[in-house]
Amino acid sequence: MDLTNNFSQHNERLMLKHGGNLEQEAKRLGVHINSLIDASASLVPFALPTPLQNCLTQQINGNALKIYPDRSYLTLREAISKFHKIHSSMVLPGNGASEIITWAARDAANHGMSFLPSPGFFDYKRALRCWDGKFITSPLPLKWNSTFPQVFPLEPHRQVAWITNPHNPTGQCWGRDSLEDLLNSQNLVICDEAFLPLVPDGEKESLIPLVANHPNLIVIRSLTKLFSIAGLRLGYAISSPMRLQQWQEWRDPWPVNGLAVMLGIKLMSEEHLLEKQIEKVQNWVKEEGRWLQTNLQKLPSITAHPSAANFQLIESNASLKSFREALAHKKILLRDCSSFEELGENWLRVSLQGRSNNRRIIKAMQQVLRYTSG
Ligand SMILES: Cc1ncc(COP(=O)(O)O)c(C=O)c1O
């Protein structure tokens, strides 16, 4: 058996399942990583605010790398809980939302069949497979309008409901009212709100205020999207203290590294920093989302679907595989959707950038479409 070959094939499969594989794509295309526009991963295009950059520098020169973080993450938990106005025992920081998803899946596996809206974020299946968790996918309607929030369209008759709000990859934001009913009918509801702070007015749809009265609810949050700190890794769970205590006992001793802890404390406790970032990001999603949607819609043979989030799906009635590859050679990376059940090669996901890069994306798309049609 050729292990090296197996490993690289596995890596290729992972690249198709997740955007943001900049290093490998740059190598494949023979270009410098910084020359690429990465519209395959959905991160904000803003530099980390200066006070947070300064915090990281100070911490690198201070103790954050030298000493073990506090295993209980008490100060960080208190800062997060104060922001959300809940008790600190209802918060557990994680090594990105992804680590939290792994533990949520362990509970899901013990509560029966998981119900996964499809197309959906691939990581839920990865996490469920870790624990032999049973799951079933249920197709979401692939046409929707541009009024958000929307009514969650599926009626899960299974024991565990996984919700992504806003949904990835469609960008639909679900109304809290339409999700609330699930809490009374399911053994467990896992609501991934990784992108919710980026959605204009999205916070109103959060299930966090319902956690205190619903021990069967887990809400998952990520800070890696909002601040573009995907390399640092920071997310958290909000759920019942008993559940989180159990996860804390199961997991590695220091899953959140010292730098992420110190940055997390700084940004969650200085609320003006967080609120300023949320306002800036939501304004960007509102303005650039509208601009990109309008301009994508003008492209021939492309349908641009509405989105409340910082990414949009485009669809064609033929394969978009060579279109995506032609754009990659123009140094623009889009998210391949062939790994999403229900979508396939005729779909791509485009993540919002700043205006000049959005212009470059549209211009490059126009050129490729002109070339292939003529
Ligand atoms: C819906 C959703 N949830 C969670 C995550 C993972 O977030 P994190 O970087 O915090 O692990 C992603 C990453 O793409 C995502 O799309």
Side-chain angles (χ1 to χ4, degrees):
M1 187 168 47
D2 182 347
L3 279 183
T4 321
N5 203 19
N6 267 358
F7 189 69
S8 68
Q9 278 172 5
H10 172 72
N11 263 355
E12 265 168 43
R13 281 199 302 275
L14 266 186
M15 277 173 72
L16 287 176
K17 282 185 184 167
H18 205 286
N21 303 291
L22 274 188
E23 211 177 305
Q24 295 198 30
E25 278 294 80
K27 222 181 260 175
R28 182 179 78 84
L29 297 163
V31 297
H32 192 273
I33 195 167
N34 291 343
S35 69
L36 291 169
I37 296 180
D38 184 17
S40 69
S42 305
L43 301 166
V44 304
F46 309 121
L48 198 60
T50 312
L52 297 179
Q53 287 187 28
N54 293 344
C55 166
L56 282 179
T57 314
Q58 272 166 13
Q59 291 300 332
I60 288 171
N61 296 324
N63 279 335
L65 302 184
K66 220 181 288 168
I67 61 171
Y68 284 106
D70 163 24
R71 274 189 73 172
S72 74
Y73 298 117
L74 182 63
T75 314
L76 178 56
R77 282 176 28 227
E78 282 175 349
I80 297 170
S81 66
K82 198 159 159 256
F83 182 78
H84 288 295
K85 302 184 177 56
I86 52 176
H87 195 269
S88 59
S89 58
M90 292 164 65
V91 176
L92 188 72
N95 187 27
S98 309
E99 194 222 354
I100 301 296
I101 289 170
T102 302
W103 298 115
R106 180 162 181 175
D107 280 1
N110 289 332
H111 282 82
M113 180 73 81
S114 275
F115 166 92
L116 304 177
S118 178
F121 184 42
F122 84 97
D123 206 39
Y124 308 146
K125 289 185 191 165
R126 187 268 314 157
L128 283 161
R129 286 191 185 110
C130 289
W131 314 110
D132 284 333
K134 304 226 172 341
F135 58 82
I136 186 162
T137 56
S138 184
L140 283 166
L142 286 181
K143 279 203 177 2
W144 58 96
N145 63 34
S146 58
T147 309
F148 298 110
Q150 304 189 338
V151 173
F152 184 65
L154 304 176
E155 272 192 32
H157 296 296
R158 313 285 156 188
Q159 292 95 345
V160 184
W162 289 73
I163 312 288
T164 316
N165 200 16
H167 194 73
N168 181 5
T170 64
Q172 288 161 285
C173 180
W174 310 122
R176 183 200 291 176
D177 291 351
S178 69
L179 300 175
E180 238 178 300
D181 280 353
L182 297 176
L183 294 170
N184 302 321
S185 62
Q186 305 291 300
N187 294 346
L188 185 63
V189 175
I190 299 164
C191 188
D192 178 350
E193 298 184 353
F195 286 99
L196 200 57
L198 287 75
V199 173
D201 282 333
E203 209 60 48
K204 288 202 301 257
E205 312 311 331
S206 173
L207 296 192
I208 291 175
L210 306 182
V211 173
N213 292 326
H214 293 91
N216 62 336
L217 173 61
I218 299 168
V219 177
I220 298 172
R221 286 280 175 132
S222 168
L223 288 167
T224 72
K225 320 284 179 196
L226 187 63
F227 284 93
S228 262
I229 47 169
L232 194 63
R233 318 295 305 132
L234 188 56
Y236 50 94
I238 298 186
S239 193
S240 81
M242 255 170 63
R243 179 188 311 285
L244 300 182
Q245 180 67 38
Q246 175 69 81
W247 292 4
Q248 175 75 347
E249 281 162 27
W250 281 333
R251 67 185 190 160
D252 291 357
W254 300 280
V256 186
N257 70 74
L259 265 187
V261 170
M262 298 319 289
L263 189 77
I265 291 170
K266 172 92 179 162
L267 69 87
M268 296 300 299
S269 56
E270 293 191 27
E271 284 189 15
H272 65 280
L273 275 177
L274 187 52
E275 273 156 11
K276 210 165 138 195
Q277 180 78 356
I278 291 173
E279 193 188 337
K280 182 174 171 181
V281 168
Q282 291 190 2
N283 282 339
W284 161 71
V285 171
K286 209 185 284 177
E287 278 172 34
E288 285 310 308
R290 204 181 297 135
W291 189 91
L292 191 66
Q293 165 85 8
T294 308
N295 284 283
L296 286 169
Q297 268 166 352
K298 289 183 190 158
L299 296 173
S301 61
I302 297 275
T303 303
H305 291 272
S307 169
N310 57 323
F311 46 82
Q312 304 186 358
L313 277 177
I314 58 172
E315 183 191 3
S316 171
N317 52 18
S319 170
L320 289 173
K321 210 171 166 182
S322 51
F323 176 68
R324 176 175 174 267
E325 188 57 16
L327 288 169
H329 285 279
K330 288 182 176 289
K331 302 184 183 167
I332 291 167
L333 306 181
L334 303 188
R335 171 73 160 87
D336 174 274
C337 288
S338 53
S339 64
F340 286 108
E341 254 176 64
E342 326 295 335
L343 297 189
E345 286 184 6
N346 296 10
W347 296 73
L348 292 171
R349 197 190 63 194
V350 190
S351 298
L352 287 187
Q353 311 295 311
R355 177 62 59 90
S356 69
N357 280 351
N358 285 334
R359 274 191 208 287
R360 272 180 62 191
I361 293 174
I362 294 291
K363 199 166 163 210
M365 286 181 169
Q366 287 166 339
Q367 285 168 349
V368 172
L369 288 169
R370 210 173 298 136
Y371 180 75
T372 46
S373 69

